[in-house]
Amino acid sequence: MNSSTATNKKTKNYTSIRTQYSISIILLVLIISILIDLCVYSGLSGILDTGISNNLNLTARNEGMKIDQNMYHIEDSVDSIASFIENYTDDFSKLQDRTFRVKMLSEIENVFTSSAAARKSVVSDYVFFNPDLLDGKEDGFLYLKNTNGEMIKTSLTNINYYAEDDDEHVGWYYIPKANRYPTWLTPYLNKNFNILMVSYIVPVFKDDTFIGVVGMDMDFRELIYNVGTLITEKGTRSYITTVDSKSHYFINDEGNVDTFNDEELIYIRNHELRKNKSSGKEIIEYKYDNIHLVMAFVTLENSMKLVVYNRYDALYSERSKILIYIVIISIILGLLFVAISVYSTQKIVNPLQSLTKAAIQIGSGNFDITLPESNIKEIKILTDALKGTNAQLKKYARNMESLAFRDEMTKVKNKTSYTFAVDNIDEQIESGDENLEFAVLMCDLNLLKPINDKYGHEAGDVALKRCAATICDVYQHSPVYRVGGDEFVVILTGNEYRNRRELEKNLDRKIYQLNLDALQPYEAISIAHGMAVYNKDTDKSYRNVFDRADAAMYQNKSNYHKELGIKPR
């Protein structure tokens, strides 16, 4: 009987609904905790991956734009001189007249050389006429920058001393001549000056007759050094590769230009992106010298590629911390769930399901959620904690977005935000959007440097803030971007696009009224501005519109400086 009773108790205890339900709840809680961990970890990892990719690609684009700006200036200078020579030489036979050549060169020599001197990376500029048109004689000019940054006139190279395929001595002449179009030469050692350089050269033709070449040479060591000195707070570095990505140039520990071959790299992921002009929104994983690295890249104006890279473990160290935090939190939450489920299983099932869904939403990046209310203290604590976490994550996301896309001093949108806006407009243009209408207003705060020099940079900051506030006050429904130290861009759409001319007049009236109330000299500001309107029939990219607005602004700025009797910078 006692044995039977014991057996019955064991059977009853084993088959207890409460025990079975408790075990089921415990298993369910464990499963939910694991799912939440996986979802949150997956979501946060995705956010981290996207952030790392965006940051590397943004760094590549921003640094690439700085290098390209320098190359654009070189191209503009060389192209304008080549165009002048072509238009000036209405009859190429006139080139045999030395008086004609001297007069033509006198009109361009100082302008061209001054432009070269203004660019730190430029080491030489030249105009070289075709000797075949001059009975085998050389004519033109060649300037070489000395160590003091002065452009010194130097004797022309006698190309007759070298074979046409001697690229290190005369490639600057024969390669663009053979190409018959403006050419960026890949890095080469110019043995005439013993300088490692890249060159932009335009061959000049008149009625299919080769007249000569116009060119500027960049010190490639200087370019590589500037690229090599880029080190962000997280250790991101950069180097330059050739157009085929086979040769990589960098600054070694001794401060000299060094190279390594593509065969030394072991690619892990996305290596096919190297064939593109940029890595876009992706990153490439690879190993060099057994170090795990990630890179992003953009193609420069001269077709070389700027690569920014960092160690994989430096960028992804946060992922391990996230996993530890998630495990700790999940253990705490799991124990709390189990304890509560033992005493109030029915009341806790629905809230748990709701909390699980909410946690999954938070893990996927959706912070606009409604959390369930409960009269159970422990569940309320959990709900409030999740609300607080959600609020903090939402605030953090907004703060990160604000930091990434807003200028700290003027509070208008920054260069990063501007880059995204330009990319979006270019996508609309490429897609042939017939309804696309916009105008670009380029603004520049006049006399910022004199304000800084005379009253200090704090006064200059006041002037910049007043400039930004004035523009925003006039253009209340269009985005305002700070794209440089004293430069702002407004992209007008909708009603402000249709009323653009009146608003531009309002800007001048606003500045005038603002200056009447100025208490300090530096509070009285002047803003040079110029506007251009997108023409879908002629404009192939946003830059076409921007260039016209920029030119109009500089004309306005030049007129203002002439009124003051000073030279425009």
Side-chain angles (χ1 to χ4, degrees), residues 468-487:
T470 302
I471 297 171
C472 291
D473 194 32
V474 174
Y475 299 94
Q476 298 183 7
H477 302 291
S478 295
V480 179
Y481 306 90
R482 185 183 181 194
V483 298
D486 54 2
E487 295 178 337

Side-chain angles (χ1 to χ4, degrees), residues 270-287:
N270 290 338
H271 66 279
E272 69 280 357
L273 294 176
R274 295 180 302 149
K275 299 177 182 179
N276 301 339
K277 287 193 172 183
S278 74
S279 50
K281 297 180 179 180
E282 302 292 331
I283 54 176
I284 300 173
E285 280 187 53
Y286 66 106
K287 283 188 177 181

